[in-house]
Amino acid sequence: MFSLLILLSRFLGILPLGARRALGTGLGWIWFHCIRFRRQIVLENLRLAFGDEKSEQEVRAMAAHNFRHYALTCLEIVQSVTWRKEDYERNVPCEGIEHLVSALAKGNGVFGLNCHLGNWEWVIGSVMSRGIPGDVIVKHSKNASLDRFLLSYRQNMGIGVFYESGTIKQILSSLSKGRLVGFILDQFMGPPIGLPVKFFGKTAGTAVGLALLTEKRNVPIVPMYSYRDSKGVLRAVVEPELVMPTFSPNREDRLYEKTQFFNDVIEARVRLHPDQWLWLHRRWKPYRGEPRWAASAATAVCSFLLLLGCSSQSLVETPTGIAFPPEPEVSLPDEKPVEVVVPKENKTKATKKELPALNPVVKFRVYKPDQIPFEVGERQVISLDWTALRAGDVRMEVREGFPFKGRPTFKFWGHVLSSAVVDAIYHVDNTIESFVDKQWLLPYRFFLHMVESHQLKETRASFDHKQSKVHYWSKRVSKKWGDEVQDRVDGLGARSVDMFSALYFARLLDFEKGKAVEFPVYENGQNLTVSLLPVANEIVQTKAGVFQCWKLAVSVKLENVLKPTGDMHLWLSDDFKKYIVKFEAKLKIGSLRGELTSLRERL
């Protein structure tokens, strides 16, 4: 593979600039008109950014030019695979390098504010080739081969590469050595380390890292980008050090204001060359959840409303644009919860004896913090495969929930995003939120936000465990299946959890081979019983590590699209944490498999 890249690099290197432009134009035309990969995303992003400024015809023309830009960028990267510093200096003009030299002369290092404009890789090479020592912070690519190639390619330029996790010490050390540290801030970053600020007037989750580091070090910030001029020559640009405005004395507000300021700087540069930015990236993904840093005024208002039993979901914009009706009033049990102590011997019988069916006067079990295997900050990423196809990823997080009637809650947050391969068949971008009492571990609110190819849908379930009922509301908007609204009250089984919090509830259980454990679950009008039967104890190797696991046979009645037609198995780690390590399920069409690829235990 590398030998082929070298041959292509040499071939492109001997082509005249005009010939490379013609080749890039042709490839871009094929990409836009025939392959159409991510074309709809580009068009939607351009409409979001310029819908009030440009006609549909102008938007489509800009999108076509944008795909030509991508093709040229790919050719340029291949062309430069074998380049050395002198090749970048000779082939990539750099305007304003004196601004960077002047900023570095202050001796505290420099933050480079970069973006995906022009050929962002060549900007780095052009600056490094002129004797500037530096590092850049990047994300890991989902493709391991591409990740290795990009690391080698960037190191060949003479630049240090920091990955986004665990980089604070590296960044501060780099600054202390008087180096440039580049931040690329124009990609989506959700909670908890992204902030919901504006980009082109629309909410765009943005990494707070640069704003946080400016709190620690007074370091010059220098904007850097590139563009391809009318003759097709790629030019790097280094601008003068930013003059920072006066920000709020409140730290949380100041982080928002700084991050917004950086977004505004990037937006202004993108507007100079709008057909050369990375529009195929989902910059405006729905921002769902709470950041680690909340603006003080907003936090106070939301907390007050939620203490009254309201949910912020009825007050803010949803990812689908579908608004929820006002929250129904639900009640807490009258009885004060007491801890249920189960004797070690004969635990199954004691559990049945001490935890009778729930009714308005039954006492709830209280879980102490040291009895709960998960904590705020936990994050699991699970890769999905549907039959032989890479289907997407599931991200599950434990977050701090807003208080409900004065009681603290966990917020179980999950996000399912389909892969590019599956997107060609059916796009899925769904988020689940479950607000669960921190001691009783029973749900109060459940939300499902669905953004799919053929429908937009919002679902809310409000649990009233005292009255044994659920207030269920959903609204679907669909050209294919028609619009639909459901608003009803369902009966609720004793101590029922929802389908998402059930995954966390299962981690509270003790397992013994051959002995099934059952618990009640509410799902869209149905009161179900989930049974987990330990059938084996085995070692499972994943990208996140090697785990000794319980293999559980799962039995549950489902009446939706993913109704199992055969076996369903779940692997939980055989330790106190009981992480979700793997699962397999046979569906009506094919099978679905998931495997843990990334794990964070806490913040």
Side-chain angles (χ1 to χ4, degrees):
M1 183 64 180
F2 188 68
S3 299
L4 177 60
L5 284 174
I6 292 176
L7 289 173
L8 287 173
S9 174
R10 291 174 177 171
F11 168 71
L12 292 171
I14 63 175
L15 281 181
L17 178 59
R20 288 200 303 273
R21 289 187 70 188
L23 178 58
T25 299
L27 292 174
W29 188 94
I30 293 171
W31 188 349
F32 182 76
H33 292 282
C34 302
I35 300 175
R36 300 186 177 187
F37 174 67
R38 292 219 164 193
R39 187 176 80 162
Q40 192 59 35
I41 292 174
V42 170
L43 288 169
E44 289 174 358
N45 283 342
L46 287 168
R47 290 179 188 123
L48 275 172
F50 298 106
D52 297 332
E53 304 173 29
K54 297 183 182 295
S55 66
E56 179 64 19
Q57 184 178 0
E58 289 174 313
V59 165
R60 294 185 70 84
M62 191 187 300
H65 283 291
N66 191 233
F67 276 84
R68 181 184 67 179
H69 159 68
Y70 298 144
L72 286 168
T73 301
C74 291
L75 292 177
E76 289 165 350
I77 290 175
V78 173
Q79 177 190 351
S80 58
V81 164
T82 58
W83 279 9
R84 298 190 180 279
K85 289 185 178 181
E86 54 269 23
D87 296 305
Y88 285 101
E89 187 175 10
R90 182 175 60 254
N91 294 304
V92 188
C94 187
E95 304 169 3
I97 190 69
E98 66 276 7
H99 301 307
L100 192 50
V101 173
S102 175
L104 283 170
K106 296 181 179 181
N108 297 321
V110 171
F111 288 131
L113 180 56
N114 302 56
C115 64
H116 291 89
L117 183 62
N119 185 328
W120 50 93
E121 299 291 347
W122 276 19
V123 175
I124 301 169
S126 179
V127 170
M128 297 299 106
S129 70
R130 287 163 172 82
I132 304 297
D135 311 285
V136 65
I137 301 166
V138 300
K139 290 183 177 182
H140 275 293
S141 171
K142 293 182 180 180
N143 184 292
S145 298
L146 178 60
D147 206 41
R148 289 193 297 270
F149 165 74
L150 288 175
L151 177 61
S152 175
Y153 178 78
R154 289 160 178 163
Q155 288 177 336
N156 189 50
M157 299 177 189
I159 191 168
V161 176
F162 299 160
Y163 290 102
E164 60 181 354
S165 58
T167 58
I168 297 296
K169 289 184 179 179
Q170 292 174 302
I171 292 170
L172 296 179
S173 175
S174 183
L175 293 173
S176 297
K177 296 173 183 176
R179 294 169 67 87
L180 164 72
V181 178
F183 280 79
I184 304 176
L185 291 187
D186 58 346
Q187 287 187 292
F188 176 83
M189 178 65 73
I193 59 175
L195 293 180
V197 294
K198 301 294 184 181
F199 189 61
F200 281 85
K202 309 295 189 300
T203 300
T206 304
V208 74
L210 179 55
L212 279 172
L213 283 163
T214 61
E215 298 282 307
K216 294 179 177 291
R217 294 284 180 92
N218 183 20
V219 175
I221 302 173
V222 175
M224 300 165 56
Y225 65 95
S226 68
Y227 70 97
R228 198 173 286 105
D229 67 16
S230 59
K231 296 181 180 179
V233 176
L234 198 287
R235 297 182 177 276
V237 177
V238 178
E239 295 187 347
E241 175 186 342
L242 288 175
V243 177
M244 303 289 278
T246 301
F247 296 113
S248 170
N250 178 273
R251 180 175 181 268
E252 284 70 27
D253 291 341
R254 194 164 61 244
L255 291 175
Y256 276 77
E257 292 169 8
K258 286 183 177 181
T259 306
Q260 182 63 68
F261 175 71
F262 299 144
N263 259 8
D264 292 342
V265 171
I266 292 173
E267 179 183 331
R269 278 67 186 169
V270 173
R271 285 182 176 276
L272 294 174
H273 310 281
D275 60 334
Q276 297 183 40
W277 188 66
L278 194 68
W279 296 104
L280 57 74
H281 169 67
R282 291 190 178 98
R283 183 67 181 94
W284 291 280
K285 293 178 186 178
Y287 187 96
R288 297 190 280 268
E290 294 79 41
R292 193 179 302 170
W293 306 272
S296 55
T299 303
V301 172
C302 289
S303 298
F304 174 73
L305 290 169
L306 286 161
L307 283 169
L308 295 178
C310 300
S311 165
S312 62
Q313 294 295 333
S314 62
L315 304 172
V316 302
E317 181 182 0
T318 63
T320 61
I322 299 172
F324 285 111
E327 283 279 6
E329 177 63 25
V330 298
S331 52
L332 296 176
D334 292 331
E335 289 289 314
K336 180 179 179 181
V338 295
E339 181 185 0
V340 175
V341 180
V342 180
K344 292 184 179 180
E345 64 277 7
N346 199 11
K347 183 179 290 187
T348 302
K349 291 183 179 180
T351 301
K352 290 181 178 179
K353 180 179 179 181
E354 298 291 342
L355 296 178
L358 179 68
N359 59 53
V361 296
V362 167
K363 297 178 180 180
F364 291 102
R365 175 173 180 177
V366 172
Y367 291 88
K368 295 181 178 179
D370 61 359
Q371 296 174 315
I372 300 174
F374 41 81
E375 56 187 298
V376 172
E378 180 188 282
R379 179 178 65 201
Q380 298 181 80
V381 179
I382 298 172
S383 65
L384 297 177
D385 292 299
W386 174 44
T387 309
L389 296 178
R390 176 81 171 84
D393 291 293
V394 178
R395 181 175 171 182
M396 300 171 57
E397 298 184 0
V398 180
R399 299 177 177 177
E400 193 72 45
F402 285 111
F404 180 78
K405 295 183 180 291
R407 293 193 59 79
T409 66
F410 287 115
K411 178 181 177 179
F412 299 144
W413 180 91
H415 182 227
V416 182
L417 182 65
S418 54
S419 67
V421 175
V422 172
D423 275 352
I425 305 171
Y426 192 84
H427 173 67
V428 175
D429 183 357
N430 296 345
T431 302
I432 307 173
E433 299 170 293
S434 181
F435 292 85
V436 175
D437 191 282
K438 272 193 174 182
Q439 291 181 307
W440 303 339
L441 296 178
L442 293 176
Y444 295 129
R445 297 282 190 269
F446 169 86
F447 297 94
L448 175 58
H449 315 282
M450 302 174 68
V451 180
E452 300 183 352
S453 292
H454 297 316
Q455 68 173 341
L456 299 174
K457 186 175 181 180
E458 293 288 351
T459 298
R460 181 184 68 199
S462 303
F463 291 79
D464 190 325
H465 292 280
K466 177 182 178 180
Q467 302 296 330
S468 298
K469 61 185 180 181
V470 179
H471 298 267
Y472 179 91
W473 182 92
S474 71
K475 182 175 181 179
R476 180 184 69 198
V477 177
S478 172
K479 291 182 180 179
K480 183 173 182 179
W481 299 314
D483 296 351
E484 180 185 67
V485 176
Q486 296 187 49
D487 189 359
R488 63 175 189 266
V489 176
D490 297 324
L492 179 65
R495 297 189 59 83
S496 290
V497 295
D498 59 71
M499 285 299 293
F500 186 52
S501 62
L503 294 172
Y504 291 91
F505 185 81
R507 295 170 58 185
L508 297 164
L509 306 175
D510 293 324
F511 298 110
E512 183 178 343
K513 188 176 180 180
K515 293 187 177 181
V517 182
E518 297 182 344
F519 58 92
V521 174
Y522 168 86
E523 168 64 7
N524 190 11
Q526 300 181 87
N527 285 288
L528 311 173
T529 299
V530 172
S531 174
L532 302 178
L533 175 64
V535 295
N537 193 281
E538 55 193 33
I539 295 175
V540 178
Q541 184 170 355
T542 73
K543 291 182 179 179
V546 179
F547 299 85
Q548 186 74 37
C549 294
W550 280 111
K551 180 181 179 181
L552 307 171
V554 183
S555 300
V556 59
K557 181 181 179 183
L558 295 174
E559 298 295 339
N560 54 27
V561 176
L562 296 182
K563 180 179 179 181
T565 58
D567 294 334
M568 182 190 300
H569 288 96
L570 175 68
W571 282 259
L572 298 182
S573 61
D574 184 14
D575 52 27
F576 174 70
K577 292 291 189 178
K578 294 188 177 68
Y579 293 118
I580 300 170
V581 176
K582 180 180 172 182
F583 70 83
E584 294 179 352
K586 293 182 180 179
L587 310 178
K588 289 182 179 180
I589 303 176
S591 60
L592 186 67
R593 297 186 300 277
E595 183 178 294
L596 184 66
T597 59
S598 175
L599 175 63
R600 183 183 71 191
E601 294 188 359
R602 62 181 68 86
L603 288 174

